[in-house]
Amino acid sequence: MTARILVVDDIEANRSLLQTRLTAEYFDVLTAENGQQALDRCAETSVDLVLLDIMMPGIDGFEVCARLKANAATSHIPVVIVTALDEMADRVRGLEAGADDFLTKPVNEMQLLTRVRSLLRLKMLTDELRLRAVTARDIGLEELFRSGGENAFDRPQVLVIDDRKASFDKLATTLRSHVALSHADAPQKGVLQAAEGNYDCIFVAAKFANFDSLRVCSQLRSLDRTRFAPIILVADAEDETLIGRALDLGVNDYIVRPVDPNELIARLRTQVRRKRYHDGLRDDVAASIEMAVTDGLTGLHNRRYLDTHLETLVARAESRGKQLSLLITDLDRFKAINDAHGHDAGDDVLREFARRLRINVRGMDLACRYGGEEFVIVMPDTPPDVAEEVAERLRTQIEADRFRIGNGEQMIDLTISVGVTSLRHAQGQDGKTLLKRADEALYEAKSAGRNRVVSKAA
């Protein structure tokens, strides 16, 4: 994972230390020595995360954070406060100013890197949602953005998964006056309850009597109904290694016992506000573009959306020096299915293929029905070899599992051919060029006998 990180500190030695640590992990690091310079940097260039000192001359870190979060152009940038201040009141003040996390100097390197990677993954999701909303505006639809998060703490639905009643009761004492609280007293029961409900946040105990808490977190992240639900781990101070692994698995935040009530509410407020902002983006995009840019049969985006959004993705990849790959797949001998079994059977196959396609791509990837039996998958931040692996995995899965048609009464075999290409920055390509190259690779795959993947250097 590569990203641009801004380190803000008025002491050169502190800036250099963080810059050295992050550069060693292949991050692109910018620096600023005061608050105004930090605000200018964020206004002038694309920043993926800010590491922000508090005690600085002029504008302090609290004010810088508040200004970044109040500005629509920078509000989505994660901010981690890094300071020598260790009073609980300072932590809460930072969180209330909009900070996404709080690290105390001297910074523990493992905590620094796990928090940075966790927040950058979240930033990638936010960027993709915002970009799709902008694309919808570009094709002539109504304004999509709502006032994300203004009512983010209006009685959230919260679930606590903890098999120790005394531990749950301590959290409940603080939470009950602020949220609609539910409790699951067993880990697997909690996973099922989370999947059946619609929770704004899920607290998971770091230790269960007879179950691995990381397994609970992993299951919550793998289920469609809970994939985007914020998870806060409730841990002890000595659980440092476990906390790091949990963040790598996709846990959003953690809080350490003994839990300070003010910090608990501040961290919960941050997670709920972010979730409702993301939910608002998803709902607005879905509601506004469904008819205009969605294929009615498969539910995937259609060619109209692809034509606009692909150019945006390519331009962004070019400007940031990042990789991007594109696949075109065609259902082999699809006309024969329509001729032999009728167009209803053909529609059944297209719908099922679209369903399998969704399973085999990431949430940040763009899957579209290009036309007829052709589909396109655009994969940001994906090198050529990984794109080929994805294409081959999809081809193998389609060939191995037969398709049901006619209300499931009949099974038929199906294969696909796939053309793959990737962006090469030195050649200054656009979306049309990528599509043409992928289409040439697809033609080669079909000419060579179908049911195969061909990759063509772009």
Side-chain angles (χ1 to χ4, degrees), residues 77-95:
I77 301 174
V79 176
V80 179
I81 291 178
V82 185
T83 179
L85 298 176
D86 198 22
E87 293 294 326
M88 185 56 67
D90 295 316
R91 298 174 68 90
V92 173
R93 183 181 174 191
L95 292 167

Side-chain angles (χ1 to χ4, degrees), residues 119-170:
L119 289 169
L120 287 174
R121 283 194 296 269
L122 183 66
K123 168 78 163 39
M124 289 176 64
L125 173 62
T126 304
D127 285 348
E128 182 60 26
L129 290 172
R130 287 165 56 87
L131 188 60
R132 291 186 183 187
V134 170
T135 297
R137 283 203 302 269
D138 288 345
I139 60 176
L141 300 177
E142 296 298 319
E143 176 68 31
L144 297 177
F145 290 105
R146 294 175 181 167
S147 55
E150 286 186 1
N151 300 316
F153 208 58
D154 185 16
R155 299 301 292 179
Q157 300 288 323
V158 173
L159 173 65
V160 177
I161 306 176
D162 196 332
D163 59 0
R164 294 178 292 178
K165 186 177 185 303
S167 175
F168 165 73
D169 288 342
K170 289 179 181 178

Side-chain angles (χ1 to χ4, degrees), residues 88 91-92 95 254-255 260-268:
M88 185 56 67
R91 298 174 68 90
V92 173
L95 292 167
Y254 65 93
I255 192 162
D260 179 84
N262 292 322
E263 182 182 7
L264 174 65
I265 298 303
R267 289 188 181 277
L268 175 61

